[in-house]
Amino acid sequence: MRRKDRLNPELKRKREERKEKYRDYMGGRRKPGEKAKDVKGTAKKYFSLLLPYKKAMTIVVLSGAVGAATSIIGPKLLGQVVDAIQAEVEQKLMGFDIDLKRILILMLMLLAVYGTTSILNFVQHFTMAGVTQKIVYSLREQINLKLSVLPLKFFDKNSKGDILSKVVNDIDNISNSFQHSIIQILTSFVTAVGMFAGMLHISWRLTLITLAILPPSLLLALFITRYSRKLFKSQWNRTGELNGHIEEMFTGHNIVKVFGREQDAKDEFEDINNQLADLSRRAQFISGLVGPMFDFFGYLAFIMICVFGGMFVVGGRMSLGGITSFYTYALLFIQPIVSLGNITNKMQSSLACAERVFGLLEEEEESPDDNTNFIEQAQGSVRFDDVDFSYSLDEPLIENMNINVKPGQLIAIVGPTGGGKTTLVNLLMRFYEVDAGTISVDGIDIRTMPRSNLRSIFGMVLQDTWLFKGTIRENIAYGKEGATQEEILAAANAARVTHFIQTLPEGFDTVLEEDGANISQGQRQLLTIARAILADPAILILDEATSSVDTRTELLIQQAMKSLMKGRTNFVIAHRLSTIREADKILVINHGQIIEQGKHEELLAEKGFYAELYNSQFGFYDSVANGY
């Protein structure tokens, strides 16, 4: 069986989509509706990052300019040394004594010139290194702040691996470009201007001959860079996709192994990696043509300088020292142009990364906070009045939803997968904004409250646990800033987790691995419940919080929850209907609509959707109990 035939249909579909995008990049085609890249806009933003560091950049520019100016003197002195040596040789042939004093003075002056240039280069690189690190620091700070204000829909649509690639890989590439390419650009420009002036001073005719190489080389460079820019953008997009795949496969490696999908994962990785390697090779090859091309035209210029310069020397229009100085000037004039061609590779790659980073920084943020109202001590009443919501405009999910929850009530939310249960909670927490209607807490529209104030009212325990690398004490204390040891211990006792912690060698000081990988799923759930208990919220949201613990532990937690829930409003999203029999009100949600509501017994008596859902879970067990 061929490798591609082992891929399941979904992986095949993804592969074909990647191949189509890949062919678009290779063939220069655009996807339908895709806009042209704003290269000028990206370059403007890219170089505007230097504006806050005007003083440092002034030092960089001045040191480069002075260094270039001193380097201009070098070839002139070198020509004088050659002429001086030639004159002394002629004096020797005529029988006169040789005076090396002038030659020695010129050599010392030459040494001083190049020594000064080296010192100025050091100052330039040292200053630019400081500017680069400040820019990188600022970019990472901006991205960190940006990620904290982006809506939940952004993270739903973008893989964590691609976001991580922008924060790490793309910014590192920008850093390398600023550190090396910017200095090369500045130095090359100033040097080229200075050397051009030196060439013009010696011979305008040879200068025109040398300049003849520029038009064809620049036109070819422009053509190459336009094509390579697309390849670099595609390369870094594919890098983000590869990081996303690795992150996905690593976090779910147990599932991959359980279902025997190792080969599929390897095939998909190989597919993305092959395309990335090919794109990278093409991008580097195409952009790498610029350097050799400039080298070729540079060699042509040197040949013409040698031929015509030799003719001028023979004709008495120039001295041997003059042609030596001009040749050195021409070498130093063409060298920065060649350098500019070589760094085009890095600059195109860096601009592609900058476009991705700026794109992230320009993502639409959450709507600004309205600080009209602030709740000091929440009572816990919640109302949904004619609420409409949809993830996409053409597919409405929730329409005309009305809920009235009194303080201290236990509200259970049940229904089939995809019915809108978790969406309801996301709206309540303002992770998403409603399309129409209002949601209010204690009679206050939540859109008129700061999000930080609103979310401080809630405590959440999700089905998917989240723990960070740190001690158990630190993970529990995350629920309340400045929590005391007594409060942490009380929360652990209430969650029935103290015994498990004390069995560990380091107790509360046991260090958890990332996401609590060194303890069981049930134990992780217990710790997140303890964290929520410590937070002491006015409104508690439990999204199948006991789904990962055994039956005995579940009963213990439910006992602890009963005391915790007193005096609080509680929303429980439940799939195991045995956990919600005592709820004050059960909301049955399907297709974004509340189709039934009431107490457990009332809904069973109606023999509707809830009764059917309940019997589907417990009918089998009842049949077994009755001796089926």
Side-chain angles (χ1 to χ4, degrees):
M1 182 181 293
R2 291 181 300 173
R3 172 180 294 163
K4 65 178 182 180
D5 294 330
R6 290 196 300 265
L7 291 173
N8 62 39
E10 180 64 18
L11 293 180
K12 286 182 180 179
R13 183 186 63 79
K14 291 182 179 179
R15 168 174 279 186
E16 289 304 317
E17 288 180 356
R18 283 196 300 271
K19 285 182 177 179
E20 183 61 27
K21 292 180 182 178
Y22 176 73
R23 286 191 290 267
D24 286 345
Y25 281 115
M26 293 297 98
R29 295 182 289 145
R30 293 195 189 120
K31 295 177 289 185
E34 183 183 9
K35 297 181 180 180
K37 305 296 185 298
D38 184 12
V39 179
K40 292 183 179 179
T42 300
K44 185 177 180 180
K45 296 173 189 175
Y46 181 82
F47 289 107
S48 68
L49 295 173
L50 297 170
L51 292 179
Y53 311 100
K54 294 179 180 178
K55 292 182 179 179
M57 291 307 300
T58 301
I59 295 175
V60 171
V61 173
L62 287 178
S63 59
V66 176
T70 55
S71 63
I72 294 173
I73 302 173
K76 189 71 174 177
L77 290 174
L78 185 61
Q80 293 178 5
V81 170
V82 172
D83 286 341
I85 293 174
Q86 184 182 18
E88 293 300 327
V89 170
E90 291 174 353
Q91 290 288 332
K92 179 65 175 176
L93 292 175
M94 295 173 61
F96 295 102
D97 294 333
I98 297 177
D99 183 10
L100 297 178
K101 183 178 180 180
R102 183 168 179 270
I103 297 175
L104 181 60
I105 292 174
L106 289 172
M107 293 294 291
L108 290 175
M109 292 174 63
L110 196 62
L111 180 64
V113 165
Y114 287 120
T116 302
T117 302
S118 299
I119 293 173
L120 290 172
N121 285 339
F122 170 78
V123 172
Q124 188 182 43
H125 282 81
F126 180 81
T127 306
M128 194 65 203
V131 171
T132 299
Q133 293 310 310
K134 289 178 181 178
I135 289 174
V136 170
Y137 174 84
S138 176
L139 278 177
R140 290 200 174 112
E141 281 288 303
Q142 291 178 54
I143 290 179
N144 183 53
L145 292 174
K146 184 72 178 184
L147 293 176
S148 68
V149 295
L150 287 174
L152 191 63
K153 63 181 179 181
F154 170 81
F155 299 98
D156 290 341
K157 295 179 180 179
N158 295 271
S159 72
K160 290 183 285 185
D162 188 51
I163 297 172
L164 185 62
S165 181
K166 293 176 182 178
V167 177
V168 180
N169 296 344
D170 291 354
I171 290 185
D172 280 347
N173 195 19
I174 293 173
S175 172
N176 292 331
S177 178
F178 271 118
Q179 179 65 50
H180 303 291
S181 300
I182 298 298
I183 288 180
Q184 282 186 288
I185 291 173
L186 293 173
T187 304
S188 298
F189 177 77
V190 175
T191 301
V193 172
M195 297 307 160
F196 173 75
M199 292 163 56
L200 199 60
H201 176 72
I202 295 174
S203 173
W204 64 270
R205 293 182 180 85
L206 285 179
T207 302
L208 290 178
I209 293 172
T210 306
L211 291 179
I213 70 165
L214 289 182
S217 59
L218 291 178
L219 286 175
L220 283 173
L222 182 62
F223 173 77
I224 291 172
T225 53
R226 281 184 176 178
Y227 186 65
S228 65
R229 187 183 302 119
K230 298 177 183 178
L231 294 174
F232 278 117
K233 181 64 183 298
S234 179
Q235 171 192 340
W236 288 107
N237 284 335
R238 194 68 79 243
T239 301
E241 186 178 347
L242 185 67
N243 287 339
H245 173 74
I246 293 173
E247 188 272 339
E248 186 179 64
M249 291 301 102
F250 178 77
T251 55
H253 67 280
N254 288 339
I255 302 300
V256 174
K257 290 182 178 297
V258 165
F259 289 97
R261 294 294 183 179
E262 295 94 336
Q263 190 60 50
D264 285 346
K266 291 177 183 178
D267 289 341
E268 188 171 4
F269 175 86
E270 184 177 337
D271 185 37
I272 302 173
N273 196 34
N274 284 338
Q275 292 185 20
L276 174 58
D278 194 32
L279 283 168
S280 301
R281 179 182 61 81
R282 288 172 178 263
Q284 296 294 336
F285 172 74
I286 296 297
S287 62
L289 291 176
V290 176
M293 180 195 66
F294 274 114
D295 286 338
F296 172 74
F297 284 106
Y299 293 142
L300 287 180
F302 293 146
I303 292 172
M304 290 188 291
I305 290 171
C306 291
V307 172
F308 288 97
M311 295 170 60
F312 292 162
V313 171
V314 173
R317 295 181 181 180
M318 293 181 68
S319 67
L320 184 60
I323 192 63
T324 302
S325 295
F326 187 92
Y327 183 86
T328 307
Y329 277 130
L331 179 65
L332 295 177
F333 172 73
I334 294 174
Q335 187 177 21
I337 296 177
V338 174
S339 297
L340 286 173
N342 289 329
I343 65 175
T344 300
N345 176 351
K346 296 179 181 178
M347 286 302 301
Q348 292 300 319
S349 178
S350 183
L351 284 175
C353 291
E355 188 175 15
R356 283 163 48 83
V357 171
F358 293 145
L360 173 59
L361 292 175
E362 292 168 0
E363 285 285 344
E364 183 181 357
E365 300 179 2
E366 291 180 321
S367 58
D369 271 340
D370 185 342
N371 299 324
T372 304
N373 294 298
F374 192 93
I375 298 179
E376 292 286 352
Q377 189 67 40
Q379 300 302 311
S381 66
V382 176
R383 282 184 64 91
F384 281 63
D385 292 311
D386 301 323
V387 170
D388 293 346
F389 173 76
S390 61
Y391 288 105
S392 59
L393 296 178
D394 57 338
E395 295 182 6
L397 177 60
I398 293 177
E399 293 181 301
N400 196 34
M401 177 175 284
N402 292 278
I403 303 174
N404 185 14
V405 180
K406 297 178 181 179
Q409 283 192 322
L410 170 59
I411 306 300
I413 306 172
V414 301
T417 300
K421 301 185 297 299
T422 302
T423 299
L424 186 149
V425 173
N426 286 335
L427 293 176
L428 188 59
M429 301 281 288
R430 280 194 75 189
F431 292 141
Y432 288 92
E433 299 289 354
V434 298
D435 297 333
T438 60
I439 301 175
S440 58
V441 174
D442 291 349
I444 298 175
D445 189 337
I446 62 174
R447 289 172 294 190
T448 66
M449 301 168 55
R451 287 184 177 84
S452 58
N453 177 227
L454 171 66
R455 292 167 185 170
S456 68
I457 297 171
F458 292 88
M460 294 185 71
V461 179
L462 304 178
Q463 185 173 359
D464 297 325
T465 60
W466 178 79
L467 298 171
F468 57 86
K469 187 173 182 179
T471 65
I472 290 178
R473 178 182 288 103
E474 292 169 340
N475 272 275
I476 296 177
Y478 196 79
K480 180 181 179 181
E481 187 174 357
T484 64
Q485 178 61 31
E486 290 74 18
E487 291 173 325
I488 295 172
L489 182 60
N493 287 333
R496 304 300 193 269
V497 74
T498 306
H499 175 72
F500 141 66
I501 296 175
Q502 290 175 342
T503 61
L504 299 173
E506 302 296 328
F508 281 87
D509 293 321
T510 300
V511 176
L512 299 179
E513 296 178 6
E514 185 178 355
D515 204 24
N518 53 335
I519 58 176
S520 71
Q521 175 65 28
Q523 292 165 341
R524 292 199 293 269
Q525 191 69 275
L526 289 168
L527 292 179
T528 60
I529 292 171
R531 178 194 295 164
I533 293 173
L534 178 64
D536 195 20
I539 302 174
L540 190 64
I541 298 173
L542 305 174
D543 188 353
E544 200 58 54
T546 61
S547 62
S548 298
V549 298
D550 59 80
T551 305
R552 181 176 179 276
T553 304
E554 179 182 357
L555 293 174
L556 294 174
I557 293 175
Q558 287 176 352
Q559 292 173 7
M561 287 298 184
K562 285 182 180 179
S563 60
L564 173 66
M565 290 177 179
K566 289 181 180 178
R568 293 180 174 82
T569 304
N570 304 279
F571 290 87
V572 179
I573 300 175
H575 300 286
R576 296 162 65 176
L577 303 186
S578 61
T579 62
I580 59 170
R581 291 176 180 174
E582 304 300 323
D584 296 306
K585 184 184 294 185
I586 298 174
L587 305 178
V588 184
I589 298 179
N590 192 17
H591 301 299
Q593 303 290 328
I594 299 177
I595 58 176
E596 295 177 7
Q597 59 179 306
K599 289 182 174 291
H600 173 72
E601 293 79 6
E602 296 171 352
L603 294 178
L604 285 181
E606 290 180 7
K607 297 183 179 181
F609 189 91
Y610 177 81
E612 181 181 346
L613 194 65
Y614 183 85
N615 291 327
S616 68
Q617 288 191 17
F618 297 99
F620 172 78
Y621 299 104
D622 292 341
S623 298
V624 173
N626 293 329
Y628 174 75

